[in-house]
Amino acid sequence: MSIRDDLQEIWDFYVAAYRSGDAAGCAAIFTDDAEVHSPYGPPARGRAEIEALHGVWVQHAGPNKTLEVIEVGSSENLAWTLAAYSEGEAVGNGTSLSVFERQPNGGWLIRVCSLNSTDAGG
């Protein structure tokens, strides 16, 4: 499996958790000390804050959430994705730039994620 496939698989897990309203599942793809920066809420630092932020976001979740990797890169224990996300007109669209860290078990978790709205005023 390519690094692109590996990281898209993580995002696919996230989307499934998001669509089902599972904030803990959404937060599970982040490191314990991760950060999320977003135009949709205050910065969230640490998995507990990320889960709480997603607890608010998934209240409005529907079946339309998508997230597709556009670009990917990696070097040893770090990787990154630029991904396009969409939740439909009511919530918004944009891009997500995320830095992943390789974990001791060989898997990847997000260390830093920055969401950028492509909607006017978002």
Side-chain angles (χ1 to χ4, degrees):
M1 199 186 277
S2 71
I3 186 68
R4 177 187 212 93
D5 293 338
D6 287 345
L7 299 181
Q8 181 66 61
E9 189 174 277
I10 293 168
W11 282 124
D12 292 347
F13 174 87
Y14 171 87
V15 168
Y18 193 97
R19 287 179 177 177
S20 70
D22 180 4
C26 291
I29 70 165
F30 294 88
T31 63
D32 289 336
D33 59 348
E35 296 183 27
V36 172
H37 299 271
S38 165
Y40 308 111
R45 292 178 174 86
R47 191 177 286 158
E49 285 186 18
I50 292 169
E51 182 176 342
L53 181 62
H54 279 83
V56 173
W57 290 352
V58 300
Q59 290 178 12
H60 308 287
N64 299 326
K65 173 80 169 182
T66 62
L67 202 150
E68 183 177 346
V69 172
I70 300 169
E71 294 184 41
V72 63
S74 66
S75 177
E76 298 193 27
N77 293 322
L78 293 176
W80 59 270
T81 61
L82 177 64
Y85 66 85
S86 176
E87 294 185 55
E89 240 178 80
V91 178
N93 304 291
T95 56
S96 169
L97 181 60
S98 299
V99 177
F100 291 74
E101 287 181 340
R102 187 182 308 273
Q103 301 303 294
N105 67 2
W108 296 94
L109 292 175
I110 297 172
R111 174 62 182 84
V112 178
C113 177
S114 178
L115 302 173
N116 305 283
S117 174
T118 55
D119 296 320

